[in-house]
Amino acid sequence: MQSKLVGSMREAIRLAGLRSGMSVSFHHHLRNGDYTLNMVLEQIAEMGIRDLTLNASSIFDIHAPALEEHIRNHVVSRICTNYMSAGLGRRISEGLMEAPVEFRTHGGRPRDIALGVTPIDVAFVAAPTADCAGNCSGKYGPSACGSLGYAFPDAMYAKKVVVITDNLVDYPMQDWSIPEIYVDYVVQVPAIGNPGGIVSGTTKITRDPVGLVMAERAVQVIQNSGLLKDGFSFQTGAGGASLAAAKFLMDVMLKEKIQGSFASGGITGYLVDMLNAGCFRSLMDVQCFDLKAVESIRSNPAHQEISAMQYASPSAASAVVDRLDVVILGATEVDTDFNVNVHTDSNGSIMGGSGGHSDTAAGAKLSMIIAPLFRARLPIVTDRVSCISTPGRDVDVLVTQRGIAVNPKNAELRQRLKDAGLPVVDIHELKEIAERITGRPEKLPEGGRPVAKVIYRDGTQIDTIRCVASK
């Protein structure tokens, strides 16, 4: 048979038939250590290909300078993503692109790829280890990043798939993640990324007393929710207070001899510790957040790799998020209707994205937001968030250092927490407390033209992000 191994990136792009006006995709498991997106787009630009749709599961600061240039030069004319860090986000918010960015969720992206809403012409899969046929994995090699969960829909549904690796092994490689049946071409390069850059910026337990108070209260909410029992399932983010909550939860589960069924999502070393201590029977991993998680998924069969579809797609026959008991999430803003913003900062500039936020909030029995009542003298609770990332109907509880607000739809939970002696307050009261300390913030000026669409996991648009003045 004809070899899939080609001699250069340029040759792979040519053989894949990429032309102007098509769509290309990338996954983000190397996070801020990724070299692949910049490497591929540089070659595409040199070949004179223009007006591409870039479908990247997330975009980080390492991509920002080069991607801004490719936008200005019309190599990239449209972006679909689930998350965008502040470097490029600020420039997009100032009107860099003509076409609005389309923000999806970690579950909505594979849904729309599978349904043909966002077709992919050529998928570029950064693979830390691969063989000449394209069997590949993220668990091994010098650039090991762990799970390749977000690359699965790209590989399965793209018209052409190019695997890019810096660790080519003999056929057949063992313990592959994505099999050769989906792969058209394989390119070996000196380096696909820096594995040190996969670490999320906030994968350490907070030492801030406010964060520790919130974490302790979050665990008290879980304890009194009626959900903490054998078979319990759980997800938390990589923020400092969320990780502190995981540590406190581990102490409770060990003391009360509770063994949960699974923890899921982006996996950190703290969840690995909980697995190894017997708090959970399994980890369901769509993305590793640190190198301890990478080592665990490589060596522990109970630490399982899952695709983005299995994790959160609403079009799949079933998904992990729908089996969650509790998820702990963060917020930039929360309004008095419990709507949550994780897309924009206090100036209205893009600095994030939903990721799995709204997927897990919709699926979990108890979705909990933990956030300080104010940051940098700005209150977190407001009359109306500047951007709806997760609708309030999917949020159950807001935990702050000054009190716990329960969504009025959950009268039973509110009563449980009050009976336990927890400081339950109305969310309007939290807003008033914050404003007494910080003052009432000025409203953001009316924005200009649309620069991004916020698309909910079912494909409906739930908000619009508008242009802000450049500084």
Side-chain angles (χ1 to χ4, degrees):
M1 64 170 290
Q2 184 177 0
S3 174
K4 294 182 182 179
L5 190 61
V6 298
S8 67
M9 189 72 69
R10 186 184 187 92
E11 184 180 359
I13 294 167
R14 181 185 64 80
L15 289 171
L18 185 66
R19 299 187 304 275
S20 294
M22 286 187 169
S23 61
V24 294
S25 78
F26 299 86
H27 66 89
H28 72 279
H29 292 92
L30 284 163
R31 299 174 64 81
N32 210 40
D34 175 59
Y35 298 162
T36 307
L37 186 148
N38 290 347
M39 183 193 316
V40 173
L41 288 182
E42 180 180 4
Q43 185 60 68
I44 286 172
E46 289 180 6
M47 295 171 70
I49 298 170
R50 298 290 184 268
D51 294 322
L52 294 178
T53 294
L54 171 64
N55 190 332
S57 52
S58 289
I59 295 170
F60 289 88
D61 283 341
I62 194 170
H63 305 130
L67 193 46
E68 181 176 344
E69 180 180 350
H70 293 313
I71 292 168
R72 292 189 185 281
N73 293 336
H74 305 288
V75 175
V76 173
S77 58
R78 181 176 173 230
I79 292 177
C80 301
T81 190
N82 309 343
Y83 173 94
M84 181 181 291
S85 59
L88 184 64
R90 282 191 295 269
R91 306 298 294 125
I92 295 293
S93 294
E94 292 166 2
L96 175 65
M97 294 189 74
E98 293 182 15
V101 171
E102 294 181 10
F103 279 106
R104 287 177 171 80
T105 73
H106 281 337
R109 180 178 186 267
R111 170 197 178 273
D112 284 357
I113 291 173
L115 294 178
V117 176
T118 53
I120 297 169
D121 291 300
V122 184
F124 295 91
V125 177
T129 295
D131 63 29
C132 62
N135 297 300
C136 59
S137 171
K139 301 175 189 175
Y140 311 98
S143 302
C145 60
S147 175
L148 290 182
Y150 293 119
F152 276 74
D154 306 56
M156 292 173 66
Y157 293 102
K159 293 173 185 174
K160 296 290 182 181
V161 176
V162 178
V163 163
I164 304 165
T165 188
D166 55 11
N167 189 44
L168 191 68
V169 298
D170 291 339
Y171 179 91
M173 77 161 291
Q174 298 178 4
D175 191 22
W176 65 73
S177 298
I178 294 172
E180 63 188 281
I181 59 173
Y182 300 119
V183 179
D184 298 284
Y185 306 104
V186 179
V187 183
Q188 185 176 16
V189 298
I192 61 170
N194 172 12
I198 78 167
V199 177
S200 173
T202 53
T203 53
K204 293 184 178 179
I205 289 178
T206 183
R207 296 182 178 179
D208 175 28
V210 170
L212 294 173
V213 168
M214 294 189 300
E216 186 174 11
R217 284 184 176 165
V219 173
Q220 290 171 339
V221 171
I222 296 171
Q223 285 180 278
N224 290 283
S225 68
L227 296 169
L228 188 57
K229 54 190 175 183
D230 284 344
F232 171 73
S233 56
F234 176 67
Q235 180 169 329
T236 189
S242 297
L243 293 176
K247 173 63 171 66
F248 294 156
L249 180 63
M250 177 178 172
D251 295 341
V252 171
M253 294 178 74
L254 291 175
K255 180 179 179 181
E256 299 185 7
K257 295 182 170 56
I258 294 170
Q259 185 177 51
S261 55
F262 71 90
S264 66
I267 300 299
T268 64
Y270 297 100
L271 291 178
V272 171
D273 289 342
M274 295 181 79
L275 173 70
N276 293 337
C279 295
F280 295 106
R281 296 195 302 272
S282 177
L283 298 182
M284 308 283 270
D285 189 342
V286 71
Q287 175 184 202
C288 291
F289 272 130
D290 57 34
L291 299 182
K292 187 171 185 178
V294 175
E295 171 58 31
S296 174
I297 199 171
R298 180 164 51 227
S299 59
N300 188 345
H303 188 158
Q304 301 176 81
E305 181 177 29
I306 59 172
S307 71
M309 296 91 80
Q310 184 177 359
Y311 172 50
S313 174
S315 66
S318 65
V320 170
V321 295
D322 297 320
R323 298 180 185 273
L324 275 174
D325 286 320
V326 175
V327 63
I328 296 178
L329 300 164
T332 304
E333 296 176 296
V334 183
D335 67 27
T336 52
D337 291 322
F338 288 83
N339 297 305
V340 179
N341 174 22
V342 290
H343 276 87
T344 61
D345 63 16
S346 58
N347 297 312
S349 290
I350 295 167
M351 44 64 69
S354 181
H357 198 286
S358 56
D359 295 308
T360 52
K365 293 185 179 73
L366 174 60
S367 61
M368 185 189 319
I369 307 298
I370 61 173
L373 203 52
F374 47 87
R375 292 190 186 99
R377 303 295 296 179
L378 290 172
I380 292 298
V381 183
T382 182
D383 288 321
R384 185 70 172 177
V385 291
S386 54
C387 174
I388 297 177
S389 307
T390 296
R393 66 174 181 268
D394 294 334
V395 175
D396 297 296
V397 180
L398 168 63
V399 176
T400 76
Q401 75 273 34
R402 293 297 187 100
I404 300 167
V406 181
N407 194 316
K409 67 174 184 171
N410 296 319
E412 180 185 350
L413 177 63
R414 178 183 172 87
Q415 193 59 50
R416 278 176 173 267
L417 301 185
K418 290 187 73 172
D419 290 346
L422 296 181
V424 177
V425 298
D426 186 273
I427 195 167
H428 294 86
E429 185 178 341
L430 286 179
K431 176 178 175 291
E432 291 169 4
I433 293 171
E435 289 178 354
R436 284 200 297 269
I437 297 170
T438 67
R440 190 176 180 88
E442 293 183 11
K443 288 187 177 181
L444 289 174
E446 288 293 325
R449 66 176 179 84
V451 295
K453 300 175 182 178
V454 179
I455 300 172
Y456 190 59
R457 61 196 306 260
D458 64 0
T460 58
Q461 184 176 339
I462 60 171
D463 214 334
T464 299
I465 301 174
R466 296 188 175 274
C467 188
V468 299
S470 60
K471 293 186 177 180

